[in-house]
Structure formats: structure tokens, C-alpha cells
Amino acid sequence: MDHSSARPDRLWLRLLVFVLILVVLFTAEQTHWGQAAFVRPFTAGLAGVCGKLLVLFDPAVAVDGNVLRNAASGAGVMIEPGCNGVEAMIVLIAALFAFPAPWRYRFGGLVVGFVAVQGLNLLRIISLFYLLQWNAAWFEWAHLYLWQALIMFDVLVVFLLWLRQLPSAEAVTHG
């Protein structure tokens, strides 16, 4: 598919599909069932992974559910829904599935995107944990502004790189 010559009458359809996928996935994520079955267990698992990484460098780190705490200082961070990368993945899923592409490319984009988003999110959580130990005002700024933008920028970069990897329409139809 020649992506540079996409027909304008099809762009609105892609945008509509993108928005519909976003609405469905964000609605599902916000339901009690979505939170209980997926979001809270995923968030606790993410906290556990962060805790295992932090303990490698700092044995005073303790994990309790979705809370990472420094046992020596008592300072800690709580990983809440919205801080777990799920919303960023929802945006990426909507983009990958709204854009016409072979299914194997979509699933490949999901795998690479998940690794990229969650890898950066691990770095985010760990850096915020240590930033809180150092300066609460800088923690707040980095948490609310810097890292939110970087995670969404990561989604955009993954999507744009994924677009570059898609085969042309001629390659798909002529094998």
C-alpha cells in the first residue's frame, strides 16, 4: 500500500475506527470488571517487576501490592491505574488496528509496542521512585508533565516506525 497517496475519503473512516476502538477499550478498562480482571492485577505485576529490579541496587526496597517503598526512609510511590502504561497501549492498539495492514504486522506492532511502552514505563517508575527520595517537587513535575509526554511520544514513535515497516500494496498483492 502506498501510504503517501492515501485517499482522503478513507482517512475519515480510519479516524472513525480509531476513535471507536479508543471508546470501546477505554470504556472496558474503566468498568469494575476491567479493573478487577486486568488493570489491578497488571499494575501489581508491574510493581513486582519494578521491585525486583530495584532490590538489585537497593535492598531497602519493599513491594506491597502496587506500592514501592523504601523501608529505610519510608518514602514510596503507589502505581495507580493511569501510571501503568495501559492507557498508552490502548492508544497504540487503536492506531494499529485502525490502519489497514496485514494481521501479522499488527500483532508484531503490538508485541514491539508493548515491550517499548512497558520498558519505558519501568524506567519511568524507577526514576520517579528515586526522584521522590531526592525532591518531592521535582517528582511531581516529572510525574505529571515529563513522563506523561514521554510515554505518549513513545507510542507515537512506535506507530511511525511500524508504518515504515509495512509492505506496499503491490508487495502484498503480488507476494
Side-chain angles (χ1 to χ4, degrees):
M1 168 176 291
D2 181 13
H3 305 295
S4 63
S5 64
R7 292 180 25 203
D9 61 334
R10 298 287 175 123
L11 293 177
W12 71 267
L13 183 59
R14 290 184 191 150
L15 182 59
L16 179 63
V17 170
F18 174 75
V19 170
L20 286 174
I21 294 170
L22 283 178
V23 168
V24 167
L25 292 178
F26 275 119
T27 300
E29 179 215 12
Q30 292 300 313
T31 65
H32 174 71
W33 180 88
Q35 290 288 311
F38 180 74
V39 175
R40 285 194 297 270
F42 181 82
T43 304
L46 180 63
V49 170
C50 288
K52 288 184 186 329
L53 292 171
L54 285 166
V55 167
L56 294 173
F57 304 101
D58 187 354
V61 173
V63 179
D64 183 20
N66 63 335
V67 177
L68 300 169
R69 183 169 317 284
N70 183 315
S73 70
V77 295
M78 181 181 296
I79 305 169
E80 292 286 347
C83 299
N84 54 15
V86 170
E87 288 81 3
M89 282 303 302
I90 287 174
V91 173
L92 183 60
I93 289 166
L96 294 175
F97 283 81
F99 202 89
W103 285 100
R104 66 183 179 143
Y105 282 89
R106 288 178 177 162
F107 289 118
L110 280 176
V111 170
V112 170
F114 180 82
V115 170
V117 168
Q118 290 306 322
L120 187 61
N121 203 38
L122 286 171
L123 180 61
R124 169 185 182 252
I125 293 165
I126 291 169
S127 72
L128 289 172
F129 176 81
Y130 283 115
L131 196 52
L132 179 63
Q133 315 290 315
W134 177 66
N135 185 305
W138 279 95
F139 165 85
E140 286 296 323
W141 182 83
H143 176 250
L144 295 175
Y145 303 109
L146 177 66
W147 276 113
Q148 296 287 14
L150 288 175
I151 293 292
M152 291 313 292
F153 184 69
D154 187 31
V155 168
L156 177 62
V157 168
V158 167
F159 179 69
L160 292 175
L161 290 173
W162 175 79
L163 282 176
R164 291 185 59 129
Q165 299 301 310
L166 291 179
S168 66
E170 291 141 5
V172 172
T173 57
H174 301 306

